[in-house]
Amino acid sequence: MALWIILGAVAVLALWLMGTYNGLVRLRNLKEEGWSGIDVQLKRRSDLVPNLVETVKGYAGHEKDTLEKVIGARSAVMSAGTDPEARLKAENALTSTLRSLFAVAENYPDLKANANFINLQEQLSKIEDEIQMSRRYYNGAARNYNTAAQQFPAVLIAGAMGFHKAPYFEAEEEAKAVPQVKF
């Protein structure tokens, strides 16, 4: 009789471990799917940056410092690799420099009227909207994953099985600031 009780307890424990592990795997996969959606949109944005810089360079070539910052920020994004935290930091820096670029463009009426610049600006605006939607999805998936991995009793096995806290994709303070343009 005691053997059956022990076997029953072991079976319940095994089922709980399997269910908890499978649930954490499902949430981790949703989080990774969310990051993949962000990654696609960020790559689309990075692909637009060289065209945007070249267009602005033709009208505002003496804004060399701003253009170099945008190019440097894009290079940082490209070299950030797949590490989400390094990538998030680089992407936030690129967002900030793009805002500065558009603020500079406001002072050049011919540039603002250029069809290529307007088209690039519209494409970038659409991509930024897609990034925002993807960011919300990812952050929701990361929240669900983190919550599941940190709740008792799953927390007892999550760390040992390689389920670590997922970072949120948040804008840094410098990316939230309104750029200052001085001439």
Side-chain angles (χ1 to χ4, degrees), residues 130-143:
E130 291 291 326
I131 290 171
Q132 183 183 41
M133 287 189 303
S134 297
R135 181 184 294 184
R136 283 188 200 140
Y137 177 83
Y138 168 79
N139 283 342
R143 178 200 61 231

Side-chain angles (χ1 to χ4, degrees), residues 113-130:
N114 178 285
N116 191 30
F117 181 74
I118 291 169
N119 181 31
L120 290 169
Q121 199 172 19
E122 287 172 359
Q123 287 181 44
L124 192 59
S125 178
K126 288 177 186 174
I127 290 171
E128 290 296 331
D129 289 343
E130 291 291 326

Side-chain angles (χ1 to χ4, degrees), residues 36-129:
S36 175
I38 290 174
D39 193 47
V40 167
Q41 300 307 323
L42 295 176
K43 285 179 183 173
R44 285 180 59 207
R45 179 174 72 175
S46 287
D47 290 345
L48 278 180
V49 169
N51 294 333
L52 191 60
V53 167
E54 287 302 314
T55 301
V56 172
K57 196 184 291 184
Y59 287 88
H62 60 281
E63 299 291 345
K64 187 176 180 182
D65 186 45
T66 302
L67 296 172
E68 286 177 356
K69 285 180 182 177
V70 171
I71 293 168
R74 181 181 182 266
S75 296
V77 165
M78 302 306 280
S79 65
T82 58
D83 175 38
E85 292 191 41
R87 185 74 182 273
L88 296 175
K89 185 175 182 178
E91 291 294 345
N92 282 330
L94 179 59
T95 298
S96 179
T97 60
L98 285 173
R99 286 185 183 146
S100 297
L101 181 66
F102 285 117
V104 165
E106 289 295 318
N107 294 308
Y108 296 91
D110 292 341
L111 173 61
K112 288 185 347 185
N114 178 285
N116 191 30
F117 181 74
I118 291 169
N119 181 31
L120 290 169
Q121 199 172 19
E122 287 172 359
Q123 287 181 44
L124 192 59
S125 178
K126 288 177 186 174
I127 290 171
E128 290 296 331
D129 289 343

